[in-house]
Amino acid sequence: MAEQDPLDQAGTARLRTIITAGDELGDAELLGFALDLAVTESDGLGGMVHLRGPVSPGLLLMAVHGLARTVARHWEKIEETGVTAPARAVAGGVPVWAPADTGTARGPALPAGCGLLAVPLVTPGGVAGVLSVLTDCAQEPTQRQRESVETLAAWTALRLREHSPTPWPAEASGAREDRDGEGPARQEPPATRLRQALKALRVGSWEWNLATGELVWDEPTLTLFGMDPGTPKQPFENWTAMVHPDDLPWVLVEAEQAIRHRRVFSVEYRICRPDGTTSWASARGRVLLGQDGQPAGMVGTVCDTTESRIARDAVNRALRHMSDAFLAVDSEWRITFVNVEAERLLGTPRTLHGRTLWDVFARLGVDAAEPGLEAHCRQAADSGAPVEFEVRWPANERWYHMRLVPVPEGLTVYATDVTERRSREEERAAAERAAAERTARITELTNALAEALTMQDVVKAIAERVLRPFGASGLVVQLIEGEVIRVAGAVGYPRSFLDSIDGSAIGEISPIAEVYYSRTPAFIGSAEEYTERYPAMAWRPAAADKAAWAFLPLTVSGHCVGCSVISFTEPRHLNGEERALLTALSGLMAQAIERARLYDTEHNRAKELQRGLLPRTLPSLGTVTTAARYLPASEGIDVGGDWYDVIPLSGARVALVIGDVMGHGLSEAATMGRLRTAVRTLADLDFPPAELLTRLNDLVNDLGDSFYATCLYAVYDPVTTTCSFARAGHPPPGIILPGGTVQFPDHSPDPPLGAARPPFETVEVSLPEGSLLVLYTDGLIESPARDIDRGMRHLASALSGAVTVRGGRAPLERLCDDVLAELLPEKELTQDDAALLIARTHATAPDDIATWPLSDGPIAASEARDHVRDQLARWNLDPLIMTAELLVSELVGNAVRHAKGPVGLRLLRGEELICEVSDGSLTTPRIRHAAETDEGGRGLQLVAALSQRWGTRYTVTGKCIWAEQQVP
């Protein structure tokens, strides 16, 4: 039994490498190369290659290796019907091994003790020939030897097919004849008329007798082959001798298979003329059948295609070496041509020709990377119109512009590398985006700076719109005031560092000084560079935790006002574009910073004016405890006209007043100050609320038609625990009773001051001990997003919630803060000023009140002194008895002498001792300057001298004269 050893992996790899090396060989060299390899790989003694001849059934010797000439000449032609191993391999289409002998029964003799392994050369059109190897013993070749020879035979047959000018049919049939429309071959004689036409067209004709092998050439054919015109008949060997050796094998194979399959013979090959020149000829023929129905001959035409071939070769060379990748596929999507650039994309040509485009795409992973590529190809083929698109090739990650052009027999594909163009376009697009971003950034910063008012707003706007795009981490705005550097605002710096540089002298050598004096920006890319340039300030980078800086001058109207510093945590070398952009932005920042500096100055002045017009502190009174808040508008620098005041009145009463001059500005603030002064003056005259607003309305009318104000004036009497108030266009007061109930007196307000027509309405409400009286302006409850009714409901809810949380006796300061936090959160901008005044009422204890009616006549003074002396003794106020008796005597005496009854006396004990004498007269007493001889006129002078303060107020029944003494 023959030994069966498989082809090892090393042998397979070696064979594959050797085959690859022979890819570029022509057919003549190809057969010898393949035969040499087959003998070597199978450890043979020699070998032969036979191809089927087209003239008569037989195998023609085409290549020999390792055989003596005397042996080889017996194998020049083998009958196909013989019993030799090559003949049987061709007939059966399978490898055959036979031992050699010296007899003739098995064919030509071979050396004794040898064997012959014959492997057919199988092509799609049938068996084209056979490759045989002579072994050194009579034993059957091993499996490895068989596989080596079979592999080389299959590769040789494939290469013969590749060199054919037209692809061989997939089946041995007359399909080509049917497609050409020529039908089955018929035996018909050549036509003289046809020969004449062919001669006129310089096309030769030929006839081939397959039985004798004789060829008959006409004159153009002889001329084409460089033969003597007098020798039209030529043996078959003359023709094969003139066919170029590289073309002869596949031409013979094509002729043999055309005869065997009765199909059209169509080849283009090179002719080697006797004079040594070479030209191209295109031959086309048809098989003629004999009487027995078997091929008897062939007739055809031949023409010189040298010029067209040269032109086609030039085109092919141009296509082959063009800079764009180019490939062509047939109607079955099989690749028929690839140029050098396409090979780089798809692979080597030997692995591409004949393969379908989809197989190549699958191997490269194109379908996964670009799933739409196959759809584009099929779209071009189906529509018949060119298709263009761009694709990223997965093999090299480069971009290609694909142009698919349908052609009659398939599709051509052009692939232009556009990676550099796309890169330039991307760079240009990136530059355009960067320019657009810079423009948008400048526009955004311009808009933000235009809306910024204060220095803090400007610094915040710069930090939000400049630091992040540049990757910066810090910003410092430093202004120069005289010879001192002041930090106006900063972001991203520790407070300790800012305190250390604030107030430093501009005369010191520093980047700020250089930028200030040169008015040009400075850029420092690292802490080392900073230390090298400014060794005296080497501590600053570490203290600030910064490693790179951009120092930008703040120049306004040709004058440098300071420097803005943009800093980075890591070393950073800004490029030219970034430096130019920062320099441009510094101009915008300088304008905004200068405006903010002026705004802050004016705003501070306005706030100082506002604080000067409002009460600095509220008086501490025993009858009410008060707290107030004033919240200026969040927008604009103009001061508002909101104001409030707490005014002590006679008889332990207190006036609570709040008002709002409509509008903003210095004029409105001045009007507010005048009204507040007028209210205090009128309050000192003890006018009731309605009368006071009447006189105040007259004052506003005198100011002009453009001035209007709202005002609420309330008077609380701790003796009666009542509060009477009048309001001109102002929201009603809020009242919180001790139980926590919040209410607003329900009555319509009178028109604002300046538009009202007196009289004003007076409302009186009862305020038990511990009640809260809440006065406010409309800025607290009204806004563009909230009407006044909704605002009052919100205020009631805020007051109720604050009292519930804090308790009824909670400090009023906290209540004020809670109400403001609820109604005006910090994040909410207010367009109007808001004022809030809360008062907790305290009633006067009955034990601190003493009232007596007095008799008519002079005795009334004596009664009054007795009552005062006894009451003060009970109140333990003995030090005040003598002064009080004297004051009461003078006041009662004046009443008895100048007024009318009834006369009454009331003492009130509190923080002061108040003595009140009432009568039924409306005559107001006044101090006179008495002459030395006058007996009267000195009583009121004595009262003014002995009392802390004194005065007169009108009552419902007359008037009351009062005097106060400080309680020790």
Side-chain angles (χ1 to χ4, degrees), residues 579-634:
R579 294 186 178 192
L581 180 57
L582 284 176
T583 303
L585 294 178
S586 67
L588 298 176
M589 293 187 286
Q591 297 290 338
I593 288 171
E594 180 65 9
R595 289 196 307 271
R597 187 176 66 86
L598 296 176
Y599 174 90
D600 287 342
T601 300
E602 294 298 322
H603 190 59
N604 290 334
R605 291 176 181 173
K607 289 196 297 183
E608 288 294 331
L609 174 62
Q610 188 87 48
R611 284 192 292 266
L613 295 175
L614 291 174
R616 293 186 178 276
T617 59
L618 295 177
S620 178
L621 303 175
T623 53
V624 292
T625 303
T626 58
R629 291 289 185 272
Y630 176 81
L631 189 65
S634 302

Side-chain angles (χ1 to χ4, degrees), residues 427-459:
E427 291 177 359
R428 182 168 59 253
E432 292 175 354
R433 287 195 301 270
E437 290 177 0
R438 288 194 301 271
T439 302
R441 193 176 302 162
I442 292 176
T443 302
E444 184 180 0
L445 180 60
T446 301
N447 295 335
L449 293 179
E451 297 176 358
L453 296 177
T454 66
M455 185 67 70
Q456 184 178 0
D457 295 338
V458 172
V459 172

Side-chain angles (χ1 to χ4, degrees), residues 186-192 194-195 207 288 299:
R186 292 188 303 233
Q187 184 176 5
E188 54 186 24
T192 304
L194 176 62
R195 289 183 180 274
E207 298 178 12
L288 300 177
V299 296

Side-chain angles (χ1 to χ4, degrees), residues 701-829:
N701 285 331
D702 293 340
L703 296 177
D705 296 337
S706 60
F707 287 94
Y708 299 95
T710 64
C711 184
L712 186 151
Y713 184 82
V715 176
Y716 171 66
D717 188 345
V719 176
T720 61
T721 65
T722 59
C723 177
S724 58
F725 64 89
R727 58 194 181 104
H730 206 84
I735 298 174
I736 306 176
L737 299 177
T741 303
V742 179
Q743 61 185 23
F744 297 94
D746 186 14
H747 79 285
S748 299
D750 290 302
L753 301 176
R757 292 185 177 181
F760 291 91
E761 182 182 359
T762 300
V763 179
E764 186 173 299
V765 294
S766 177
L767 297 179
E769 169 71 26
S771 298
L772 297 179
L773 184 65
V774 181
L775 308 183
Y776 52 91
T777 59
D778 58 357
L780 185 67
I781 59 174
E782 192 176 17
S783 69
R786 181 175 59 194
D787 59 28
I788 190 168
D789 294 333
R790 181 184 172 191
M792 291 184 64
R793 291 194 297 269
H794 196 181
L795 174 61
S797 175
L799 291 171
S800 177
V803 171
T804 300
V805 173
R806 299 289 185 180
R809 307 302 297 179
L812 298 184
E813 300 288 344
R814 293 189 176 181
L815 290 180
C816 288
D817 294 337
D818 291 345
V819 171
L820 289 180
E822 177 66 23
L823 295 176
L824 300 176
E826 292 183 4
K827 62 180 179 180
E828 181 177 317
L829 294 177

Side-chain angles (χ1 to χ4, degrees), residues 73-88:
R73 74 168 177 266
H74 298 295
W75 292 85
E76 287 184 355
K77 186 174 181 179
I78 304 175
E79 295 296 330
E80 287 190 37
T81 58
V83 295
T84 61
R88 286 187 290 157

Side-chain angles (χ1 to χ4, degrees), residues 855-873:
S855 303
D856 295 334
I859 194 174
S862 174
E863 292 176 357
R865 287 193 294 272
D866 292 339
H867 291 315
V868 169
R869 185 169 49 255
D870 295 339
Q871 188 64 43
L872 293 185

Side-chain angles (χ1 to χ4, degrees), residues 856-930:
D856 295 334
I859 194 174
S862 174
E863 292 176 357
R865 287 193 294 272
D866 292 339
H867 291 315
V868 169
R869 185 169 49 255
D870 295 339
Q871 188 64 43
L872 293 185
R874 285 194 292 272
W875 286 345
N876 297 318
L877 296 177
D878 297 321
L880 302 179
I881 292 177
M882 182 181 296
T883 304
E885 287 181 348
L886 183 56
L887 291 174
V888 168
S889 295
E890 291 295 332
L891 295 178
V892 172
N894 281 339
V896 171
R897 183 178 301 112
H898 302 289
K900 60 181 181 179
V903 179
L905 172 65
R906 186 174 71 168
L907 297 180
L908 299 177
R909 181 181 64 171
E911 294 181 355
E912 294 86 14
L913 175 64
I914 302 174
C915 300
E916 297 180 342
V917 176
S918 58
D919 58 49
S921 173
L922 296 178
T923 303
T924 302
R926 59 186 179 86
I927 298 177
R928 294 187 301 110
H929 295 281

Side-chain angles (χ1 to χ4, degrees), residues 324-639:
D324 295 342
F326 175 80
L327 63 96
V329 296
D330 60 16
S331 58
E332 301 297 327
W333 300 102
R334 291 190 297 267
I335 297 176
T336 59
F337 179 82
V338 289
N339 67 355
V340 175
E341 190 63 28
E343 291 172 9
R344 296 191 180 97
L345 297 181
L346 303 178
T348 60
R350 299 307 175 198
T351 62
L352 295 175
H353 285 282
R355 298 186 61 181
T356 64
L357 189 62
W358 318 130
D359 291 340
V360 176
F361 283 175
R363 178 173 58 83
L364 296 175
V366 176
D367 295 336
E370 293 292 337
L373 185 56
E374 181 176 346
H376 286 304
C377 295
R378 295 189 182 277
Q379 175 188 351
D382 295 340
S383 64
V387 174
E388 298 185 37
F389 57 92
E390 290 187 0
V391 63
R392 191 180 183 93
W393 201 254
N396 55 10
E397 296 298 323
R398 296 183 68 82
W399 282 95
Y400 289 87
H401 177 81
M402 310 293 290
R403 188 169 186 267
L404 312 179
V405 181
V407 294
E409 297 180 356
L411 186 74
T412 59
V413 181
Y414 300 82
T416 304
D417 192 335
V418 294
T419 305
E420 300 302 328
R421 176 179 62 78
R422 285 181 64 99
S423 178
R424 290 192 299 270
E425 290 177 353
E426 291 176 358
E427 291 177 359
R428 182 168 59 253
E432 292 175 354
R433 287 195 301 270
E437 290 177 0
R438 288 194 301 271
T439 302
R441 193 176 302 162
I442 292 176
T443 302
E444 184 180 0
L445 180 60
T446 301
N447 295 335
L449 293 179
E451 297 176 358
L453 296 177
T454 66
M455 185 67 70
Q456 184 178 0
D457 295 338
V458 172
V459 172
K460 181 179 179 182
I462 297 173
E464 291 178 349
R465 290 164 179 82
V466 176
L467 298 189
R468 182 181 58 82
F470 285 92
S473 61
L475 168 68
V476 181
V477 176
Q478 302 181 60
L479 301 180
I480 309 302
E481 298 178 359
E483 296 295 325
V484 178
I485 302 174
R486 294 296 181 187
V487 175
V491 172
Y493 280 86
R495 183 75 257 174
S496 58
F497 175 78
L498 297 176
D499 292 340
S500 65
I501 64 174
D502 189 24
S504 57
I506 190 63
E508 298 179 2
I509 299 177
S510 67
I512 303 298
E514 291 185 5
V515 170
Y516 176 73
Y517 289 118
S518 66
R519 300 182 186 178
T520 57
F523 303 94
I524 301 177
S526 65
E528 293 76 11
E529 182 181 353
Y530 188 101
T531 303
E532 182 180 353
R533 293 175 61 173
Y534 311 103
M537 298 181 178
W539 59 274
R540 287 193 174 184
D545 192 23
K546 305 299 178 187
W549 300 263
F551 296 91
L552 308 173
L554 300 175
T555 304
V556 181
S557 301
H559 176 65
C560 187
V561 298
C563 176
S564 64
V565 184
I566 296 175
S567 55
F568 306 84
T569 304
E570 301 295 332
R572 174 75 180 275
H573 294 279
L574 299 172
N575 58 36
E577 182 179 351
E578 292 172 326
R579 294 186 178 192
L581 180 57
L582 284 176
T583 303
L585 294 178
S586 67
L588 298 176
M589 293 187 286
Q591 297 290 338
I593 288 171
E594 180 65 9
R595 289 196 307 271
R597 187 176 66 86
L598 296 176
Y599 174 90
D600 287 342
T601 300
E602 294 298 322
H603 190 59
N604 290 334
R605 291 176 181 173
K607 289 196 297 183
E608 288 294 331
L609 174 62
Q610 188 87 48
R611 284 192 292 266
L613 295 175
L614 291 174
R616 293 186 178 276
T617 59
L618 295 177
S620 178
L621 303 175
T623 53
V624 292
T625 303
T626 58
R629 291 289 185 272
Y630 176 81
L631 189 65
S634 302
E635 299 182 358
I637 64 171
D638 292 336
V639 294

